[in-house]
Amino acid sequence: MARGLAAGEISSRELTEDFLRRSERWQRTLNAYIEITGDRALATAKRIDALRCRGEKLGPLAGIPMALKDNISTRGVATTCASRVLAGYIPPYDAAVVEKLGDCPLLGKANLDEFAMGSSNSTSAYGPACNPWDPARSPGGSSGGSAALVAAGCAPFSLGTDTGGSVRQPAAFCGVTGFKPSYGRVSRWGLLPLAPSLDQVGVLTPSVEDCALVLQEIAGHDSRDATSAGMSVPDYRAALGTEVSGLKIGLCPEVLADCSRGVGSALAEAARELEKGGGQIISVSLPFLEEAMGAYLLIASAEAASSLARYDGVAYGYRPLSPTLAEMYLGSRVFGPEVLRRLLLGVCSQGKGGGNYELGQRVRRAIVSRLDALFGQVDLLLLPVVSHPAFRLDEEPDPLAMHYNDLYSIPANLAGLPALALPCGFSEGLPLSLQLMAPRFREDLLLAAGSWWQRRTDWHHRRPREVCS
Amino acid sequence: MTEMPVIGLEVHVQLKARAKLFCSCPTDFGAPPNSRVCPVCLGLPGALPIINNQAVLLAVRGALALGAEVSTSSTFDRKHYFYPDLPKGYQVSQNLRPLAHGGRVPTPMGQVDLLRIHIEEDAGKLSHTEDSTLIDYNRSGQALLEIVTAPCLSGAKQARVFLEILRRALVYAGVCDGRLEEGSMRCDANLSLGGGGRVEIKNLNSFRGVEKALAYELERQSRARAEGRTVLGETRRWDEAGAATRVMRTKGQAQDYWFLPEPDLPPLVIGADLRRQARGDLPEMPWTKEKRFTDDYGLSPAASSGLTKTRTMADYFEAVVAAGCKARQAANFLLGEGSKGPRGAGLPSPGQLALLLCELEQGRLSPTGAKAVFARMLTGETAREALRAVGSQLTDREYLEKLAAEVVAANPKAKADYLGGRKRALGFFIGAAMAASGGRAHPALLRKILVSLLTKNKV
Ligand SMILES: [Zn+2]
């Protein structure tokens, strides 16, 4: 696509119009956008076409349209976090990633779980987004809209955010490539926070190759984010053609046993492929997954309660007429039930003195050192993303079971590791995914293994049939 | 009842940083409302804080100036509470691991020990009109240094004296501009008396207010105890107009804070370089200077205190002495005539002033003449030019005799009084002759001539 643009075979405007048409068609089925920003997209596309005509030097992604999860600040475009609380909030500034992708026409803001709290995209105040493989099913969450749009071919790529698996799990449910970079690799400036010590912007694309292109554009130090990593960004495209031979890949047999049969066998098959390619599969044990989830819940809920403290209803969104300050505060808190549940968990877990958060952080430090030790033995970890394919939206989810969706994703967030979700099979017409995890700032290893995998397989080429409703 | 009260203070000091604590918005006072704001200090979601190094340097300098122990690594915490002046729903402060511990401030009524010193951000400013509340976020996010004393102050007066000395020290160190009327220093006080409840008083914007509020509260509490009533622990505020403290919150309504380590900011590491830089240009503290002035120059405590009010004044005084003037002479002049005129840059150079004061010291110039010379020097004349213009004291015997004769001839009644035994009339003649000479007549010589003239005529 980028080559087509560069060669002048197709204009950004034509490309953008195509994607907008497709987006409009799918929107009734998927509800994957909160807002489609066609005028803005076309304005950018025309600007880029004009620049290209004049022979200006443009970035590799210039003119390629994109969708952004609606918790990423876009100047002049409403940013809702899928919550009534933020209704009408139009940020006066762009997120760092939006600045970096300023030459990409913005097709629209993608649906998500309210304040990115959830794994189903069913808690959105704008209604659930649906899975293009089966609209009765969840696209995953919280970046459900972003994943569904790429899967349905409505957007060439999208950005999501990943706090405990929120890019990888929807990527798995929708059968697309989902990448969560190391903590600090991509600036969080302008990302509406859920849990700032865990949040990271992630990329959703049809392929690892595309993923490398987008990652290259958005990675790098940002002086506005004190948690941003100072180190330089390698050329990710250089990793794309490499082999997996000689790579040591850790696999945990107990984890495979816990997966649904489809996922378990797809992963076992993937391991055999990697071995055929010269990789060395090493059996490891991950006895800390449950602990990691406990620590995650304590940390994420406390940080979320803090992040959302600003939405007191005075400065943002919906405000009922109330005679007193106290009533105004109470009346304008229009969070949905999942957000309220987590806020309560967050505030209550603080008690006096914040002991539970500290406990969570202690466990987290222990897990980080165990993962460090593990990565002394292996180069990569092979895991499922989720133990099962996408669930039905009408299955009333048990909140705790929903958290188990993130069981295999959370360690990467706790330790700030990069991780990649890759399509690796199908079960009853629904995509399955594997996950690769690497040491911090070894995005290149993931891209190398991922692109090797996609040269060997065609799972990522499969696309859902367009369903018209 | 004569129980000693237990008083502690929390002082919020605005650091003299050009930009706010976590963004680059300027901190100039008096800008139009909400004109010094950005996503960070407005608390817009997704905006992130970046620590202002100048503010950190000033904070470290302040802590070192007060003799506190600065931690190598301190951390930021979010202090959550709901109030409209707090755009994020929390204030970024330092709770668990503050910037510094300890420290002390000597006062004439005993040393005041400090418990901790930490950095935090200021809130917005609310102004209430009749039917609405307006918020100005220009102040939101400005860098504050919070200084917490031990509960060791013994009275309202000491609290005020402590604050004045603290202010002087922080202005000396260049940490704070000390402009109280602009809210540069704000204070909360807490007080308990003889085992009664701990009462916190908020909203104290002037040192006089602190003194008055504490005095009022001491009086209120001891009266309550005398009448057998229990003093409840509660939060009160000082009502300046009503000259009384009023209940803000009782214990049951206590503000529930909760803290979270700030995930957006790494620990604040104060390395050896920064510490050296902060200590490097730290001046002598006012209390040390004051003692040295008393010891080395033999000045009275009042004169030492007066001269050390500002660093400029103290430095100027020392330069004048170094230029050859007697210390007491310089002190008297600077606290007298010198304190009425301009400050700092407007003053003549110390060497020039020393020249003038030497003339005075050696009697070649009367105090009135010195005043005139000084006034000319303030307009830019050198000491030599001004002395020449005013002229040195007149010792010309012939001129003084003529002057004396004229004055005596013009005032026959006073002359009669003098001759009738009222010696005080002599003063009248001296004054009149001095005035006629434009303050230049040599006083002792003039007196001698007048006495001999009046006595001679008698015979
Ligand atoms: Zn600002």
Side-chain angles (χ1 to χ4, degrees), chain A residues 57 65 74 87 102 117 124 195 314 397 406:
Chain A
K57 194 169 154 38
T74 41
M117 290 181 182
S124 167
V314 177
D406 301 330

Side-chain angles (χ1 to χ4, degrees), chain A residues 248-252 255 267 274 281-286 288-289 370-371 374-375 378-384 408 411-412 417-420 434-439 445-446 449:
Chain A
K248 290 185 201 142
I249 299 150
L251 181 65
C252 175
V255 165
L267 250 79
L274 285 161
I281 299 292
I282 293 174
S283 179
V284 296
S285 96
L286 304 169
F288 48 77
L289 291 175
R370 296 179 80 159
L371 280 165
L374 198 59
F375 280 112
V378 302
D379 300 307
L380 295 172
L381 265 182
L382 174 60
L383 287 163
Y408 306 117
L417 310 176
L420 174 62
L434 63 82
Q435 175 174 209
L436 290 171
M437 222 173 259
L445 278 182
L446 293 177

Side-chain angles (χ1 to χ4, degrees), chain A residues 216-402:
Chain A
Q216 195 79 57
E217 290 303 299
I218 63 172
H221 180 250
D222 182 358
S223 59
R224 293 168 298 185
D225 176 359
T227 63
S228 157
M231 59 218 301
S232 63
V233 180
D235 181 1
Y236 291 130
R237 278 154 299 196
L240 291 177
T242 51
E243 297 295 316
V244 292
S245 61
L247 281 183
K248 290 185 201 142
I249 299 150
L251 181 65
C252 175
E254 295 85 31
V255 165
L256 282 198
D258 284 346
C259 288
S260 77
R261 249 177 317 187
V263 174
S265 54
L267 250 79
E269 177 57 32
R272 274 192 295 280
E273 276 299 311
L274 285 161
E275 258 179 332
K276 269 191 245 164
Q280 189 188 343
I281 299 292
I282 293 174
S283 179
V284 296
S285 96
L286 304 169
F288 48 77
L289 291 175
E290 301 267 345
E291 273 174 79
M293 180 145 80
Y296 171 82
L297 286 176
L298 291 178
I299 293 167
S301 51
E303 290 188 12
S306 172
S307 298
L308 270 54
R310 76 191 73 215
Y311 305 116
D312 53 22
V314 177
Y316 299 92
Y318 174 81
R319 187 189 313 178
L321 284 170
S322 320
T324 71
L325 190 64
E327 283 174 44
M328 180 169 85
Y329 275 136
L330 294 173
S332 59
R333 297 239 179 93
V334 286
F335 293 117
E338 175 64 13
V339 173
L340 274 180
R341 200 182 63 76
R342 294 212 199 180
L343 284 181
L344 286 173
L345 181 62
V347 175
C348 296
S349 75
Q350 287 319 294
K352 292 273 177 199
N356 282 343
Y357 183 78
E358 204 22 66
L359 173 67
Q361 290 288 23
R362 261 205 317 279
V363 175
R364 178 183 192 171
R365 285 190 288 274
I367 288 167
V368 169
S369 59
R370 296 179 80 159
L371 280 165
D372 283 348
L374 198 59
F375 280 112
Q377 301 161 32
V378 302
D379 300 307
L380 295 172
L381 265 182
L382 174 60
L383 287 163
V385 178
V386 203
S387 62
H388 49 80
F391 47 80
R392 293 181 62 87
L393 277 166
D394 56 7
E395 289 166 2
E396 184 58 41
D398 162 15
L400 193 64
M402 289 298 273

Side-chain angles (χ1 to χ4, degrees), chain A residues 44-312:
Chain A
T44 309
K46 280 183 208 160
R47 178 171 63 80
I48 297 304
D49 286 337
L51 290 175
R52 206 181 294 280
C53 262
R54 293 212 304 268
E56 305 257 347
K57 194 169 154 38
L58 294 168
L61 292 180
I64 296 186
M66 64 172 175
L68 297 172
K69 188 178 181 180
D70 202 23
N71 62 349
I72 297 174
S73 267
T74 41
R75 182 184 183 146
V77 176
T79 301
T80 67
C81 267
S83 178
R84 276 177 77 199
V85 171
L86 272 168
Y89 170 61
I90 297 178
Y93 77 108
D94 274 331
V97 287
V98 179
E99 289 172 356
K100 290 191 165 192
L101 296 172
D103 288 347
C104 298
L106 175 65
L107 298 166
K109 302 297 292 287
N111 208 343
L112 65 151
D113 281 296
E114 183 177 9
F115 282 109
M117 290 181 182
S119 310
S120 62
N121 210 135
S122 63
T123 69
S124 167
Y126 297 86
C130 303
N131 192 317
W133 293 95
D134 174 0
R137 290 182 184 266
S138 164
S142 61
S143 311
S146 300
L149 289 170
V150 173
C154 298
F157 76 93
S158 66
L159 295 187
T161 60
D162 192 315
T163 303
S166 281
V167 160
R168 291 160 283 165
Q169 184 253 23
F173 279 11
C174 294
V176 300
T177 303
F179 198 107
K180 175 220 169 291
S182 309
Y183 187 78
R185 183 87 282 185
V186 178
S187 170
R188 291 187 297 115
W189 173 260
L191 157 62
L192 274 65
L194 170 57
S197 79
L198 302 160
D199 294 342
Q200 182 60 210
V201 177
V203 182
L204 295 119
T205 50
S207 71
V208 171
E209 200 184 335
D210 292 348
C211 186
L213 283 174
V214 178
L215 186 62
Q216 195 79 57
E217 290 303 299
I218 63 172
H221 180 250
D222 182 358
S223 59
R224 293 168 298 185
D225 176 359
T227 63
S228 157
M231 59 218 301
S232 63
V233 180
D235 181 1
Y236 291 130
R237 278 154 299 196
L240 291 177
T242 51
E243 297 295 316
V244 292
S245 61
L247 281 183
K248 290 185 201 142
I249 299 150
L251 181 65
C252 175
E254 295 85 31
V255 165
L256 282 198
D258 284 346
C259 288
S260 77
R261 249 177 317 187
V263 174
S265 54
L267 250 79
E269 177 57 32
R272 274 192 295 280
E273 276 299 311
L274 285 161
E275 258 179 332
K276 269 191 245 164
Q280 189 188 343
I281 299 292
I282 293 174
S283 179
V284 296
S285 96
L286 304 169
F288 48 77
L289 291 175
E290 301 267 345
E291 273 174 79
M293 180 145 80
Y296 171 82
L297 286 176
L298 291 178
I299 293 167
S301 51
E303 290 188 12
S306 172
S307 298
L308 270 54
R310 76 191 73 215
Y311 305 116
D312 53 22

